[in-house]
Amino acid sequence: MSASKKTAWAVAAAVLLPFVIAAPAAHADEGKDAKDKQPKPPATMSAVGGALLGKPGTQVRLGAGAPVLPKDLSARSWIVADAESGEVLAAHNAHWRLAPASTLKMLFADTVLPKLGKTQNHLVTNQDLAGLGSGSSLVGVKEKQTYSVRDLWLGVFLRSGNDAVHVLSAMNGGIPKTVKDMNARAAELQALDTYVVSPDGYDAPRQVSSAYDLTLIARSGMQNEDFREYAATPRAAFPGELKPGKKRETFEIQNTNRLLTGDFGVAPYQGIAGVKNGNTTHAGSTFTGVAERGGKVLLVTVMNPSSKEQHAVYKETARLLDWGFAAAGKVTPVGELVPPTSARTGTGSGTGPDSGSGTGSSDGGTAPAPGKNAPDASASAAASSEKSGGVGIALSVAGGALVLLAGAVFLVNRRWPPAGSGSRRRRSRAPLDPDVNP
């Protein structure tokens, strides 16, 4: 090779070699940068329920024979708890204040559901549907149409209908009052990471909750018979538009909880009995589920998985439920779900299952007076659905159909710790300051 050619090769090598060598390192740096850009949990968080729950990272105390936690968990925050005893079996950033999306509808239902008789009818006005966020999930409520309260709750639980939430809020005295009521209910439940701005969970500045709080809220809601029924209903008939001279038609709505109804790549989870899913741009995917197996009832909340796996929020929930059932009795709890403040005094807040407002009865509340609030046959027929649930019954899902497990006990009911427990001695704190940046 001539001297001139050798010189040319040397120059080319000198130019290209650094790029060849640097390429893998640059790719690695990009991956590291992407990981570093992921939000980090606060160094210190609320210690409600136990000191370990206020620490960032995964908290678990494995005993002899306990299975290790699933490796493929990508959620920013999650929790596994015994729904009956309130023991927290494991948690990851349990008190991280994050956007809740439509899982916040559990608090809406826990607050408002006991106040309205489910056979009460309401004629929807333009104002009832005002202020719905762009791109909101809707069940199909129409103005100048009449719906029963039961219809509307099915729309909330099955289709996560923000339109149904707005109508029920109007029946509760309006959006501002409902938001105030929800924040008061969160404080009563000691869900102190939670601050409500929009009752439907639509993304809003400063609106936050946590895996711990959503689990507390679900536990409270599941003590209400009607709440349990709606949460566990896979599909129902919803009223369509009533046209003059024609019988009112209905259309089927299906629950968006994929562990209840199944979907491509997601099998119905055996023993699932609700509760609520959510998804928004800011919140990502969120989900709280309750399931029963072998007489054990577990609650799992998963918030914002970063995995690219399809339906990651449901698959990570299922893995944590499987782990929880296998680990029950083999782990030392890392905390507890605290009782409502009223449980310490035996008083009710007026919105919960002990409020004496008719919750759990067939109609709830005061029977409607004859006239415009009286149920009619067509509305009752339109509200027909696959009823599931009831006091003292565990629910299971097999092959997409609900199966009643006779003799099994679904006791999320009023099982607060005894008076001498540490949770009762804890002082109540003020609700989350809305001016604190979460």
Side-chain angles (χ1 to χ4, degrees):
M1 183 181 290
S2 66
S4 60
K5 287 184 178 180
K6 289 181 179 179
T7 301
W9 277 108
V11 171
V15 172
L16 296 174
L17 188 58
F19 288 96
V20 175
I21 294 174
H27 181 74
D29 287 342
E30 288 171 4
K32 181 177 182 296
D33 290 343
K35 186 175 181 180
D36 289 343
K37 289 178 182 178
Q38 289 293 321
K40 300 290 197 309
T44 58
M45 295 174 280
S46 168
V48 171
L52 286 177
L53 299 181
K55 295 183 177 181
T58 302
Q59 309 300 325
V60 64
R61 292 174 169 176
L62 300 177
V68 298
L69 285 164
K71 293 181 179 180
D72 41 1
L73 299 174
S74 67
R76 291 183 184 177
S77 176
W78 55 259
I79 191 170
V80 182
D82 186 308
E84 298 179 68
S85 69
E87 294 177 343
V88 177
L89 307 185
H92 179 76
N93 301 326
H95 280 290
W96 192 355
R97 294 168 181 169
L98 299 167
S102 286
T103 47
L104 195 64
K105 288 182 172 78
M106 294 188 298
L107 178 59
F108 172 71
D110 189 53
T111 303
V112 177
L113 192 153
K115 299 180 179 182
L116 303 173
K118 65 183 181 182
T119 58
Q120 180 180 342
N121 290 334
H122 180 78
L123 178 63
V124 177
T125 67
N126 295 348
Q127 187 60 36
D128 292 344
L129 298 175
L132 284 170
S134 176
S136 285
S137 55
L138 305 173
V139 66
V141 174
K142 303 294 183 183
E143 61 191 53
K144 299 180 182 179
Q145 298 293 310
T146 298
Y147 300 86
S148 72
V149 167
R150 176 181 167 81
D151 294 333
L152 295 169
W153 281 120
L154 287 169
V156 170
F157 277 87
L158 273 66
R159 294 301 303 168
S160 205
N162 289 2
D163 47 358
V165 170
H166 277 240
V167 174
L168 288 164
S169 295
M171 297 177 70
N172 185 56
I175 295 291
K177 180 181 182 299
T178 299
V179 167
K180 182 178 179 181
D181 290 349
M182 289 172 67
N183 280 317
R185 181 60 178 161
E188 151 69 11
L189 294 176
Q190 301 198 66
L192 305 179
D193 299 324
T194 299
Y195 182 68
V196 181
V197 177
S198 176
D200 51 23
Y202 191 87
D203 286 339
R206 299 184 295 166
Q207 180 158 274
V208 290
S209 191
S210 66
Y212 182 87
D213 280 13
L214 292 173
T215 308
L216 273 186
I217 293 163
R219 188 186 188 209
S220 177
M222 290 297 287
Q223 293 177 52
N224 182 306
E225 180 181 359
D226 291 336
F227 186 110
R228 289 199 302 272
E229 177 194 335
Y230 298 138
T233 299
R235 54 193 60 84
F238 193 81
E241 185 176 356
L242 178 61
K243 297 179 180 180
K246 295 185 178 181
K247 182 180 179 181
R248 191 172 189 178
E249 296 182 350
T250 64
F251 58 92
E252 185 179 88
I253 57 175
Q254 179 170 293
N255 203 312
T256 54
N257 174 356
R258 301 308 181 200
L259 291 187
L260 184 67
T261 60
D263 199 358
F264 293 111
V266 179
Y269 190 87
Q270 186 173 2
I272 197 74
V275 182
K276 190 70 188 74
N277 57 304
N279 189 293
T280 66
T281 301
H282 184 51
S285 295
T286 60
F287 180 67
T288 298
V290 63
E292 184 275 342
R293 185 179 296 174
K296 179 69 67 176
V297 184
L298 297 183
L299 279 161
V300 168
T301 295
V302 171
M303 301 188 76
N304 201 344
S306 60
S307 170
K308 300 300 182 184
E309 181 180 30
Q310 187 180 22
H311 298 309
V313 74
Y314 299 111
K315 292 180 179 179
E316 294 188 18
T317 298
R319 290 168 193 144
L320 286 169
L321 283 168
D322 285 345
W323 175 85
F325 287 122
K330 301 174 184 177
V331 296
T332 300
V334 296
E336 64 179 347
L337 301 178
V338 296
T341 56
S342 61
R344 287 181 277 187
T345 61
T347 60
S349 66
T351 58
D354 299 316
S355 64
S357 61
T359 305
S361 65
S362 59
D363 293 335
T366 305
K372 64 178 182 179
N373 287 335
D376 56 64
S378 61
S380 298
S384 64
S385 66
E386 296 184 34
K387 183 175 180 180
S388 57
V391 177
I393 298 177
L395 297 175
S396 174
V397 176
L402 288 179
V403 179
L404 299 182
L405 300 181
V409 181
F410 191 72
L411 288 179
V412 186
N413 299 309
R414 301 171 178 81
R415 290 288 293 273
W416 310 123
S421 72
S423 61
R424 289 223 175 192
R425 293 194 298 270
R426 264 185 211 94
R427 65 185 180 88
S428 174
R429 302 194 305 165
L432 172 65
D433 182 352
D435 295 323
V436 174
N437 184 2

